């Protein structure tokens, strides 16, 4: 139960990060409604995982012995965001966030969360019901989502190549395809 409780934090961290990415691409200066919608939906999914886990703990009669606290660092961007492996400390850097960078960050985050889920499943090896809660449907959603993100990156790269490296045009086309449901 403690492993599940600790994992809930990672789910909400991912939800917050997706929420922020959705907000960045939804700004009038970015105007990428398809990508914004995708990231906002991903935030809802991650939040749903966290809630599903809390519901499971409540069903099992888990007693919360201490209040959960977020430290102030949990909400600052320099703790949440990396671009090309470097922590972002100035929010103005996110205005220039490209779709490719955001998709790659999402892939990295999904890989990390999936690894953490596998660790929880290993800790629940003797508790078949708890392990099942994580493997079906959460783990399946992780792998499916990761595959979609990797495919989206390949599609985006092909659009860049096919448009002679014109990243602005490729972002526009990619966003329209996401909005129509052709990608992701």
């Amino acid at each position: 139960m403690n492993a599940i409780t600790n994992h809930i934090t990672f789910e909400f961290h991912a939800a917050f990060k997706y929420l922020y990415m959705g907000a960045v691409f939804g700004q009038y200066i970015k105007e990428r409604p398809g990508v914004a919608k995708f990231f906002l939906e991903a935030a809802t999914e991650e939040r749903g995982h966290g809630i599903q886990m809390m519901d499971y703990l409540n069903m099992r009669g888990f007693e919360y012995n201490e209040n959960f606290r977020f430290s102030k660092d949990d909400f600052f961007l320099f703790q949440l965001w990396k671009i090309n492996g470097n922590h972002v400390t100035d929010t103005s850097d996110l205005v220039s966030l490209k779709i490719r960078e955001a998709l790659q960050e999402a892939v990295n985050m999904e890989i990390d969360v999936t690894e953490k889920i596998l660790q929880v499943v290993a800790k629940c090896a003797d508790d078949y019901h708890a392990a099942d809660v994580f493997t079906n449907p959460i783990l399946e959603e992780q792998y499916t989502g990761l595959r979609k993100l990797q495919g989206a990156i390949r599609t985006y790269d092909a659009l860049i190549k096919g448009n002679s490296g014109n990243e602005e045009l490729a972002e526009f086309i990619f966003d329209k395809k996401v909005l129509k449901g052709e990608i992701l």
Side-chain angles (χ1 to χ4, degrees):
M1 296 302 116
N2 288 330
I4 296 171
T5 303
N6 293 335
H7 184 78
I8 291 170
T9 304
F10 295 111
E11 294 292 337
F12 285 122
H13 181 273
F16 180 77
K17 203 167 193 179
Y18 278 133
L19 184 64
Y20 197 85
M21 284 193 268
V24 166
F25 287 102
Q27 298 176 86
Y28 73 94
I29 54 176
K30 295 291 273 180
E31 197 58 40
R32 298 291 181 245
V35 174
K37 181 178 183 245
F38 164 74
F39 284 129
L40 293 173
E41 288 172 354
T44 299
E45 179 181 311
E46 298 299 334
R47 181 179 158 272
H49 291 165
I51 291 170
Q52 181 180 2
M53 291 170 202
M54 289 188 310
D55 287 344
Y56 176 76
L57 291 174
N58 287 338
M59 180 194 70
R60 293 286 299 262
F62 182 77
E63 289 186 32
Y64 298 93
N65 295 322
E66 61 181 68
N67 290 329
F68 185 80
R69 290 183 211 114
F70 284 106
S71 72
K72 64 180 175 76
D73 293 336
D74 287 330
F75 290 107
F76 286 118
L77 285 175
F78 65 85
Q79 293 292 326
L80 294 173
W81 202 271
K82 286 184 179 181
I83 295 178
N84 298 325
N86 299 314
H87 283 287
V88 173
T89 57
D90 182 359
T91 57
S92 65
D93 291 342
L94 295 177
V95 172
S96 63
L97 182 65
K98 301 289 186 194
I99 290 174
R100 176 70 162 80
E101 293 169 333
L103 291 172
Q104 187 59 57
E105 180 66 19
V107 165
N108 296 341
M109 185 172 52
E110 291 296 330
I111 289 171
D112 189 42
V113 170
T114 302
E115 288 173 2
K116 288 178 183 358
I117 289 171
L118 292 172
Q119 292 169 7
V120 172
V121 170
K123 288 182 181 178
C124 295
D126 294 330
D127 185 347
Y128 303 118
H129 189 236
D132 188 51
V133 166
F134 275 85
T135 54
N136 184 32
I138 296 173
L139 200 52
E140 183 178 339
E141 288 176 5
Q142 290 297 124
Y143 287 128
T144 301
L146 185 57
R147 172 64 186 92
K148 285 181 182 180
L149 285 166
Q150 291 167 332
I153 288 173
R154 282 191 293 283
T155 300
Y156 182 82
D157 289 345
L159 283 170
I160 292 279
K161 187 177 179 183
N163 288 292
S164 305
N166 185 337
E167 192 167 4
E168 204 169 297
L169 179 59
E171 276 200 2
F172 177 80
I173 294 169
F174 182 87
D175 182 70
K176 295 305 173 202
K177 287 182 172 286
V178 172
L179 198 57
K180 289 179 181 178
E182 296 174 14
I183 304 172
L184 297 171

